[in-house]
């Protein structure tokens, strides 16, 4: 998201930064970056994207780059499918089945079997469906809706509204770094009165990766229904929703999935919940017989009941074309490169940026790191503005955080080295 948000809570401060800019490490780091790119099995994937020459783009955690196939596909949708076939594209073409068809293309990237993921609407709308649907799935008598205290603001807004509508009490909680080995011992987080839990897989400010397997197990052991927001992890790292027994999940497609600005989000409904999932938005597109136009609502079978109104076909089919960039690519290989890129960036920043000028707020352990690095510094807004002016695009979060997102499908190690070197020049 590109909005400016309220000041984040205090981060764990760790001194960071090494020698002066362009110190003796510079030639070695530059040469190493070139060597890492030469050995990178994913390097050829960059050609699947359209990127401005000379630009270092490290803001894929807000808006992914343009996949090369999207422009031609969008032109065909507009000129032929809409312009020539007109309404026949609903019945004779690929429009009607797009939400579940594209959902099944996303499914392997989030560890889901087919038939559980549907694409459409925004993340916020899908989150509302999931929250109210989860409250209706929860055991009777439970009273609390737990939400990560550091959640993305919109998630908090939607959760508060859903709590009011369903009679639950919204409770912000601090997610611990360590979950007990026995999920039943996690009473300090989830209790017998917990109905629904909403968590972000990766914290949008800090890049902290939450322990999805352990937290899911703990929530389910407590009898709660758990929802994961995957906006900052889908397409960046393995999620494995089915393997870990996640109940519901939502996520956007314009970040690491590169679907384009405002591209439709996805909703995951585990197969075991689909029969009982009661959407608070029972639109005609989710009806068992959408063209019967009956006065009563009967939900469709499966995840299709997560559909609401007429799909946004232009954005939907642009997203479908964008997913071609994933052909032959595994999420595991992307995760391996992501960790290598972020490790190398931290190393380069330590070499190029004067000591004490920046502090990392992204956890160092791989198990706790998403695919971004956040650095805390004074005058962060002005620093990011200067970086962008020099051809290195990241973003800023108030009051003092520089965010850099690493999309392994197109980010190179030479990009990483240049970004850190440019940051060092600014502080030099």
């Amino acid at each position: 998201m590109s909005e400016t948000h309220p000041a984040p809570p205090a981060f764990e401060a760790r001194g960071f930064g090494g020698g002066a800019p362009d110190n003796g490490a510079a030639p070695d780091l530059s040469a190493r970056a070139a060597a890492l790119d030469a050995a990178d099995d994913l390097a050829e994937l960059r050609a699947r994207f359209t990127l401005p020459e000379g630009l270092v783009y490290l803001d894929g955690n807000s808006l992914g780059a343009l996949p090369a196939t999207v422009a031609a596909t969008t032109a065909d949708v507009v000129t032929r499918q809409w312009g020539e076939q007109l309404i026949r594209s609903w019945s004779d073409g690929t429009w009607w089945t797009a939400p579940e068809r594209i959902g099944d293309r996303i499914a392997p990237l989030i560890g889901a079997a087919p038939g559980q993921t549907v694409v459409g609407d925004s993340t916020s709308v899908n989150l509302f469906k999931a929250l109210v649907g989860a409250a209706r799935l929860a055991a009777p008598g439970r009273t609390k809706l737990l939400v990560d205290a550091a959640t993305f603001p919109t998630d908090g807004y939607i959760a508060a509204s859903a709590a009011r509508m369903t009679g639950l009490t919204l409770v912000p909680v601090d997610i611990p770094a360590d979950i007990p080995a026995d999920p039943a011992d996690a009473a300090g987080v989830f209790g017998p009165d917990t109905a629904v839990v909403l968590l972000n897989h990766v914290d949008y400010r800090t890049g902290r990766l939450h322990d999805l397997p352990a937290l899911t197990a703990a929530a389910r052991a407590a009898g709660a229904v758990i929802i994961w927001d995957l906006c900052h992890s889908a397409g960046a790292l393995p999620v494995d929703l089915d393997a870990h027994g996640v109940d519901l999940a939502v996520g956007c497609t314009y970040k690491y999935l590169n679907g384009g600005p405002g591209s439709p989000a996805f909703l995951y409904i585990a197969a075991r919940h689909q029969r009982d999932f009661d959407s608070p938005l029972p639109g005609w597109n989710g009806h068992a017989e959408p063209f019967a136009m009956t006065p009563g609502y009967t939900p469709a079978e499966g995840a299709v009941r997560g559909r609401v109104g007429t799909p946004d076909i232009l954005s939907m089919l642009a997203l479908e074309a964008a997913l071609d960039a994933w052909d032959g690519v595994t999420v595991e290989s992307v995760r391996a490169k992501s960790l290598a890129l972020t490790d190398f960036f931290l190393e380069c920043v330590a070499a190029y940026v004067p000591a004490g000028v920046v502090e990392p707020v992204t956890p160092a352990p791989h198990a706790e790191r998403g695919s971004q690095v956040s650095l805390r510094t004074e005058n962060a807004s002005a620093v990011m503005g200067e970086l962008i002016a020099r051809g290195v695009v990241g973003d800023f979060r108030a009051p003092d955080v520089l965010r850099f997102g690493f999309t392994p499908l197109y980010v190179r190690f030479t990009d990483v080295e240049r970004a850190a070197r440019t940051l060092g020049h600014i502080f030099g």
Side-chain angles (χ1 to χ4, degrees), residues 11-377:
F11 297 118
E12 176 184 337
R14 297 191 297 273
F16 194 76
D22 287 335
N23 62 13
D28 177 61
L29 290 173
S30 179
R32 278 183 55 204
L36 287 167
D37 281 335
D40 178 17
D41 291 337
L42 302 184
E44 63 182 18
L45 299 179
R46 184 178 171 90
R48 298 183 181 184
F49 294 85
T50 300
L51 287 159
E53 189 68 29
L55 184 74
V56 173
Y57 191 66
L58 301 181
D59 205 5
N61 54 335
S62 285
L63 176 65
L66 172 66
T69 58
V70 170
T73 296
T74 303
D76 179 73
V77 174
V78 172
T79 60
R80 182 183 63 83
Q81 297 179 41
W82 178 16
E84 297 175 13
Q85 293 183 239
L86 294 166
I87 200 168
R88 290 173 296 171
S89 287
W90 283 113
S91 56
D92 301 339
T94 62
W95 290 4
W96 184 257
T97 60
E100 56 267 33
R101 185 181 70 247
I102 301 171
D104 281 345
R105 289 198 63 183
I106 292 173
L109 303 179
I110 57 174
Q116 300 178 102
T117 309
V118 64
V119 170
D121 305 311
S122 67
T123 306
S124 297
V125 172
N126 282 329
L127 181 58
F128 176 74
K129 299 175 203 172
L131 282 164
V132 177
R136 293 171 176 176
L137 287 169
R142 292 176 176 248
T143 59
K144 292 182 180 179
L145 192 169
L146 272 54
V147 61
D148 179 3
T151 192
F152 185 74
T154 295
D155 285 21
Y157 308 153
I158 299 292
S161 178
R164 290 194 301 272
M165 293 181 63
T166 58
L168 298 177
T169 299
L170 184 68
V171 181
V173 294
D174 292 319
I175 303 303
D178 299 315
I179 298 297
D182 182 354
D185 293 336
V189 184
F190 314 120
D193 55 358
T194 303
V196 178
V197 179
L198 167 63
L199 300 176
N200 295 94
H201 196 192
V202 174
D203 186 286
Y204 79 99
R205 291 189 187 97
T206 68
R208 175 190 171 192
L209 173 64
H210 288 135
D211 190 339
L212 182 147
L215 287 162
T216 300
R220 294 194 62 195
V225 180
I226 189 164
I227 305 165
W228 283 96
D229 182 330
L230 307 178
C231 283
H232 287 84
S233 58
L237 52 92
V239 180
D240 296 328
L241 297 179
D242 286 353
H244 299 306
V246 170
D247 297 307
L248 301 162
V250 300
C252 67
T253 62
Y254 53 79
K255 300 180 190 294
Y256 296 106
L257 296 177
N258 309 292
S263 57
F266 63 85
L267 169 65
Y268 164 88
I269 308 171
R272 65 184 178 278
H273 291 309
Q274 290 175 4
R275 182 178 297 275
D276 297 319
F277 182 78
D278 183 7
S279 173
L281 297 174
W284 77 284
N285 245 246
H287 197 288
E289 297 183 71
F291 293 100
M293 302 299 173
T294 58
Y297 181 77
T298 302
E301 294 294 325
V304 176
R305 65 180 54 196
R307 294 172 60 154
V308 184
T310 305
D312 184 342
I313 290 299
L314 297 181
S315 292
M316 188 86 66
L317 299 189
L319 167 62
E320 185 172 31
L323 293 171
D324 289 345
W326 282 90
D327 287 351
V329 182
T330 66
V331 180
E332 289 74 19
S333 64
V334 166
R335 176 59 169 168
K337 182 177 177 182
S338 166
L339 292 172
L341 287 168
T342 50
D343 280 344
F344 189 57
F345 179 69
L346 290 168
E347 180 182 353
C348 289
V349 170
Y352 290 135
V353 177
V357 173
V358 297
E359 299 170 350
V361 296
T362 303
H366 287 180
E368 299 174 29
R369 185 194 307 167
S371 199
Q372 77 179 53
V373 171
S374 294
L375 303 175
R376 187 188 219 174
T377 189

Side-chain angles (χ1 to χ4, degrees), residues 399-422:
D400 56 4
V401 172
L402 305 171
R403 291 198 324 167
F404 302 92
F406 299 82
T407 304
L409 297 183
Y410 55 78
V411 172
R412 301 170 298 196
F413 289 92
T414 47
D415 296 327
V416 167
E417 189 271 339
R418 178 183 155 193
R421 179 160 36 89
T422 304

